Amino acid sequence: GAGVSQSPSNKVTEKGKDVELRCDPISGHTALYWYRQSLGQGLEFLIYFQGNSAPDKSGLPSDRFSAERTGGSVSTLTIQRTQQEDSAVYLCASSFRRDNHEQFFGPGTRLTVL
Amino acid sequence: AQSVTQPDIHITVSEGASLELRCNYSYGATPYLFWYVQSPGQGLQLLLKYFSGDTLVQGIKGFEAEFKRSQSSFNLRKPSVHWTDAAEYFCAVGEDTNAGKSTFGDGTTLTVKP
């Protein structure tokens, strides 16, 4: 595809349920990032994948959050036992490493935890 | 650790007036600096970036930004604002490594008066 895609675009869930958010990066991009954007806030870095290297998980807020990237392409962000404070827009971005870090963002998934 | 401060949460300008959005960063090495724009319901779009060289960089949509190392600033400017420029603007600083992880400011919301 032409850009980064994310699904679903909106997700409403009940507190305590698990959710999975998907990101399809731009073909050929080796780096993939997940960010969280809470209402009225900036972007909070969550996790970063680069090629086959171990991911940088330093931004994950708790052990309820995890992410994987299969085959160096699609990534899934999983939130277990969701809490109301997890409500936010989750943004995925990808970049072509040799292009000096310019990140291309997807439209985001708006997660609402009731 | 790197950080980004956008002192102005909200700015209102009249259409046709000039615009300057402030960004201050904290980073020990040579920064990679970015400005992104996020229109309502849209993903983030890169406006411009600075890596090295000329400290005045030109971006899309008529925007420019000036890197001032002595002031740790990277302010965004536009000589004449259009109503379509109403959006949220984010400044970001990237790591001076191949990791490419970026830290974002909290954003400045721009309102354009007719």
Side-chain angles (χ1 to χ4, degrees):
Chain A
V4 178
S5 61
Q6 293 185 247
S7 60
S9 55
N10 279 285
K11 177 71 176 179
V12 179
T13 190
E14 295 179 346
K15 178 181 174 181
K17 300 283 189 182
D18 298 351
V19 295
E20 285 189 352
L21 312 179
R22 176 187 168 105
C23 172
D24 282 89
I26 293 173
S27 178
H29 280 192
T30 60
L32 186 147
Y33 313 78
W34 282 99
Y35 295 89
R36 179 170 68 177
Q37 185 177 26
S38 301
L39 187 62
Q41 301 294 314
L43 276 70
E44 174 189 6
F45 167 78
L46 296 178
I47 189 169
Y48 159 74
F49 296 89
Q50 172 61 57
N52 295 321
S53 302
D56 177 352
K57 304 179 182 180
S58 60
L60 294 179
S62 77
D63 59 7
R64 295 186 297 104
F65 288 73
S66 63
E68 63 178 19
R69 189 178 185 192
T70 54
S73 182
V74 173
S75 177
T76 302
L77 176 69
T78 301
I79 309 174
Q80 297 178 309
R81 305 181 302 281
T82 52
Q83 304 294 313
Q84 289 185 330
E85 60 264 28
D86 299 334
S87 296
V89 176
Y90 290 82
L91 292 167
C92 175
S94 69
S95 70
F96 181 48
R97 184 176 179 176
R98 282 178 284 178
D99 196 31
N100 289 325
H101 319 297
E102 177 176 346
Q103 296 179 33
F104 295 82
F105 283 81
T109 294
R110 180 175 298 278
L111 174 66
T112 303
V113 182
L114 301 176
Chain B
Q2 58 202 39
S3 66
V4 177
T5 302
Q6 294 180 245
D8 304 304
I9 297 173
H10 196 171
I11 283 185
T12 300
V13 299
S14 297
E15 190 167 18
S18 63
L19 171 70
E20 181 169 31
L21 302 182
R22 296 183 291 164
C23 172
N24 294 96
Y25 68 91
S26 173
Y27 187 61
T30 302
Y32 292 75
L33 295 163
F34 308 85
W35 274 100
Y36 289 87
V37 61
Q38 186 177 34
S39 298
Q42 304 294 313
L44 277 79
Q45 181 183 20
L46 181 70
L47 284 175
L48 47 78
K49 59 188 177 185
Y50 170 80
F51 294 146
S52 64
D54 193 345
T55 56
L56 183 64
V57 293
Q58 303 296 320
I60 62 171
K61 305 185 180 186
F63 285 92
E64 66 177 27
E66 186 171 13
F67 170 58
K68 293 185 177 180
R69 184 185 297 276
S70 62
Q71 298 178 17
S72 297
S73 69
F74 188 58
N75 294 348
L76 181 71
R77 300 194 295 248
K78 186 169 184 178
S80 178
V81 169
H82 190 262
W83 69 268
T84 56
D85 294 325
E88 189 157 19
Y89 292 79
F90 292 93
C91 181
V93 57
E95 292 184 349
D96 185 20
T97 66
N98 286 324
K101 186 172 67 176
S102 292
T103 299
F104 286 76
D106 287 340
T108 297
T109 300
L110 174 65
T111 299
V112 180
K113 294 191 302 184

